[in-house]
Amino acid sequence: DAGITQSPRHKVTETGTPVTLRCHQTENHRYMYWYRQDPGHGLRLIHYSYGVKDTDKGEVSDGYSVSRSKTEDFLLTLESATSSQTSVYFCATSREGSPLHFGNGTRLTVT
Amino acid sequence: DQQVKQNSPSLSVQEGRISILNCDYTNSMFDYFLWYKKYPAEGPTFLISISSIKDKNEDGRFTVFLNKSAKHLSLHIVPSQPGDSAVYFCAASAEITGANNLFFGTGTRLTVIP
């Protein structure tokens, strides 16, 4: 277990409000990722980070931003939440060239 | 467009028998393939992987087979146990160094019947 903590585990918010999801790791892994899981789509990459302050977009990055100010923390922000962003969000970490380790997810509902 | 496909949403198998989960991919640049297992309310956990230079990789009861010409891989679980009941995700990557950006299939829910 890569020691990944996601917070909050559950959140309900209203359309148009900003939301920040947090991922904290204790394994000093260089790479961190945010995925979303939706029925019929599996897991899809939103953003990833290859170091402090170094981030890049994944395949479904529209409407999301990320920040990584410390090795151990990776934040995902929805600037103005929409109903299409209702999903389960997973944070993952990895070392160089190694399989991803996932956190237990955050279930976000946008009403 | 889904680059990694798992066409069977569910599979039921008797305890002790073989479970075979299938996965197809479309991107010929993929060279590293993984299987993840997911229990409810938990994150996916890594199960087994294979690189494109191999056609088989075995780890205990789990074996992954890769057919590059058919762009197909499968996961065999022998013998199947009730604790194997979970959703299994196939994933693929175009590089195994650096950021390992994985593309996932939609998952197959395996139920092992005692």
Side-chain angles (χ1 to χ4, degrees):
Chain A
D1 188 351
I4 302 170
T5 303
Q6 292 187 232
S7 60
R9 291 296 312 275
H10 302 271
K11 186 170 182 67
V12 179
T13 192
E14 294 185 350
T15 298
T17 60
V19 177
T20 295
L21 308 183
R22 290 174 170 79
C23 177
H24 178 81
Q25 59 134 337
T26 59
E27 294 295 316
N28 202 32
H29 286 175
R30 176 182 177 185
Y31 302 99
M32 298 187 75
Y33 314 79
W34 278 106
Y35 281 84
R36 59 178 287 176
Q37 183 192 5
D38 303 288
H41 291 280
L43 290 95
R44 292 178 294 173
L45 181 65
I46 304 171
H47 282 279
Y48 69 98
S49 169
Y50 43 94
V52 173
K53 293 187 174 19
D54 291 324
T55 65
D56 208 345
K57 297 178 179 180
E59 62 177 310
V60 291
S61 59
D62 287 349
Y64 302 94
S65 62
V66 290
S67 66
R68 190 165 178 204
S69 59
K70 297 186 290 185
T71 298
E72 56 266 34
D73 293 322
F74 194 31
L75 305 182
L76 177 70
T77 297
L78 291 66
E79 300 292 346
S80 178
T82 67
S83 59
S84 65
Q85 293 174 313
T86 292
S87 186
V88 181
Y89 291 86
F90 288 99
C91 174
T93 72
S94 72
R95 294 188 303 270
E96 183 87 18
S98 68
L100 275 61
H101 295 267
F102 285 85
N104 285 332
T106 293
R107 182 174 295 276
L108 176 68
T109 302
V110 183
T111 61
Chain B
D1 191 24
Q2 199 81 19
Q3 298 188 57
V4 179
K5 301 178 183 179
Q6 294 176 258
N7 293 319
S8 297
S10 63
L11 174 69
S12 291
V13 172
Q14 288 289 135
E15 180 178 3
R17 306 295 289 267
I18 185 172
S19 296
I20 300 176
L21 294 88
N22 294 303
C23 178
D24 298 294
Y25 61 96
T26 58
N27 189 339
S28 59
M29 297 300 292
F30 288 149
D31 58 8
Y32 185 51
F33 305 89
L34 308 89
W35 285 94
Y36 279 80
K37 178 168 71 173
K38 185 183 180 306
Y39 293 119
E42 295 183 8
T45 56
F46 170 69
L47 190 59
I48 192 169
S49 64
I50 187 169
S51 74
S52 59
I53 62 173
K54 295 185 174 181
D55 55 17
K56 175 183 175 181
N57 189 28
E58 190 172 354
D59 183 1
R61 297 186 296 113
F62 302 91
T63 303
V64 57
F65 295 91
L66 175 63
N67 183 333
K68 291 185 289 294
S69 61
K71 293 190 178 67
H72 177 84
L73 65 157
S74 61
L75 175 68
H76 293 209
I77 306 173
V78 182
S80 301
Q81 300 174 353
D84 296 329
S85 296
V87 177
Y88 288 78
F89 289 98
C90 170
S93 174
E95 59 181 303
I96 61 171
T97 59
N100 197 348
N101 298 339
L102 298 179
F103 290 85
F104 284 83
T106 53
T108 297
R109 181 178 301 278
L110 173 66
T111 302
V112 180
I113 304 165

